[in-house]
Amino acid sequence: MGTYNFSDIFDISALQGLLESLSAALGVGICIRDQHGKYLFRSRECGVCCDLLEEAPVGSDEQAPETVYQAFTPCVRYCQAAGLTDAVIPVMNDTVLAAVIQVGWVRLSEQEIDDAEYLTIARALQLDEEQFLESVHAVPLLTRTHFDNILNAVSLIMEHFSQLGHKNMYLKSVISSLESQEFLHQQEKNVLANLAEKDSMTGLYNRRKFEEVVALYARLKTRKICMISADANFLKLTNDIFGHESGDHLLQAIAKIMNDLAKSDWLVARCGGDEFRVVLPDTTLETALDYCRRVARNCRRDKSLALPLSVALGAAEWNSEKETLQDCFSRADAKMYQNKTALKHELRIPNYIMERLYDRQVLSKEVVEFTASLTLDFALYLNFTGEHAKEASLAAHFQDIGMAKLPESAAIRGQSRTEEETTQIQMHVTHSYTMARQFDELYKLADIIHCSHENWDGSGYPSSLKGDHVPIESRIIHLVSDYARRTHPTVTGGYYSEEAMKDRLARESGSVYDPNLVSRFLEFLQTRELH
């Protein structure tokens, strides 16, 4: 029967009316108890049982629960202590006992005793003898056949009610299932409705919703409306260098800033790719421009991403008498592109990435700048042209920019690395090459950067190039950067003295380093010392 109670399955008031009528017509008491023994109904014919026997100081065995509640078939019971007979009829719901119908009390002619014995019973129960005898005389005297016929009639009626109860329970189950399905349907409906107007990645409204709102406002020519066009900067670059997951984070970060700063009646939408739009009803142009400034400022403050969080914005106020709302947006879009061009010149992405590497202590700014400076001076010492020497210096500066793609754990120094971790570290050279090709100022230096960790004897990485197959600029950078790195203090405290490092360069000449360059570099260092 699950969690349903008897009153959940049956119409108690209707059942009570029926049983009261049966009790009066048949002249027998009828009561209902639930499966726990609690009375749900008792007819007016239950006088002796309900009024006298239950109040008897001594009591009778009629109250024994095991007799009543373990009855799963009709059971006729003679109470020796009371001298009366009753019967219990189970009310089943499927195979579960839902309740019992108790029929009685009656006197059976086959078991009838005289008044003297009833008086003896009254004394045993400590009841008023005259009152008890009067109540007994009011109890109908039936033959067992007559009583069985009454029980059969009540049993048939209760069997009918049990079937109805089973159907009621089934219907309740069906209704509950339908309600659950309706609830799930409504949830799905809400999800679909949300998907129809929301961008799943950022949670902002989508293009469809934006166009619906624009179409609505386009008919309201008396309202002051501003439009904003926004475009996330460096999305493609982020995707190409760091992967689409990083690109998603960039869009989500911009979306959150734009949405958090917007007023409740503004509509902020992502209309695809890196494109965002805002509709600002009842808003002046100055308010729209202030919003743009605040969005740009909050983006600049965010340093959580590998590339700058930056968005180009343009705003326009609708002149409803001279243009359509779409024309207004086109003006905002044009201003956005003007700002985007200016931002590209202002933001130098390679430098930003390097600063992030310094902040994370992946690279030492002091060592990087010293390496670039020393490379420039050594290249000039080797009679490189000024332009050529600057290119070598620039390549030296950004040779390890690919470290930005490595996980934070890879930058921890002083630890023993597994073979897999070592391979991961060495991969940063390939990352540096890939990243250099993304930037105009580094594009033609990408091959130099890619070879900057190759050894003279071919034991370096990533391509195991040997001898003159390694570009001379890369050989210079390898030599100078190792000298610079090993003669500067590290986070672990150990580093070479200049003399010790010179000895090491001499020992590794012809294996790690180009022997001719080692000789010239040692001369160069001697020249610097003299000056």
Side-chain angles (χ1 to χ4, degrees), residues 82 126 151 196 330 509:
Q126 298 181 15
L151 294 180
S330 296
S509 175

Side-chain angles (χ1 to χ4, degrees), residues 23 28-30 42-55 84 104-105 131 135-136 138-139:
S23 176
V28 294
I30 299 178
R42 48 191 180 183
S43 70
R44 289 186 292 272
E45 303 295 329
C46 294
V48 174
C49 173
C50 297
D51 299 333
L52 291 180
L53 294 178
E54 288 188 353
E55 296 175 2
L84 299 173
W105 300 74
Q131 185 180 9
S135 297
V136 167
V139 172

Side-chain angles (χ1 to χ4, degrees), residues 166-218:
H166 182 72
K167 290 179 180 178
N168 286 344
M169 184 174 169
Y170 172 73
L171 289 174
K172 282 180 177 289
S173 175
V174 170
I175 291 170
S176 176
S177 176
L178 290 173
E179 288 175 345
S180 297
Q181 290 179 25
E182 174 62 22
F183 176 74
L184 291 175
H185 175 70
Q186 188 59 46
Q187 282 190 318
E188 291 175 357
K189 192 175 177 182
N190 292 339
V191 169
L192 291 174
N194 190 55
L195 289 174
E197 62 179 25
K198 289 292 185 72
D199 172 55
S200 59
M201 183 196 300
T202 63
L204 299 180
Y205 288 107
N206 58 22
R207 178 184 290 274
R208 175 181 173 182
K209 181 66 174 179
F210 171 81
E211 291 176 349
E212 286 179 2
V213 171
V214 169
L216 173 64
Y217 284 138

Side-chain angles (χ1 to χ4, degrees), residues 12-32 41-46:
I12 297 295
S13 61
L15 187 59
Q16 286 178 343
L18 172 65
L19 294 181
E20 190 67 69
S21 297
L22 275 175
S23 176
L26 300 174
V28 294
I30 299 178
C31 63
I32 307 175
F41 161 78
R42 48 191 180 183
S43 70
R44 289 186 292 272
E45 303 295 329
C46 294

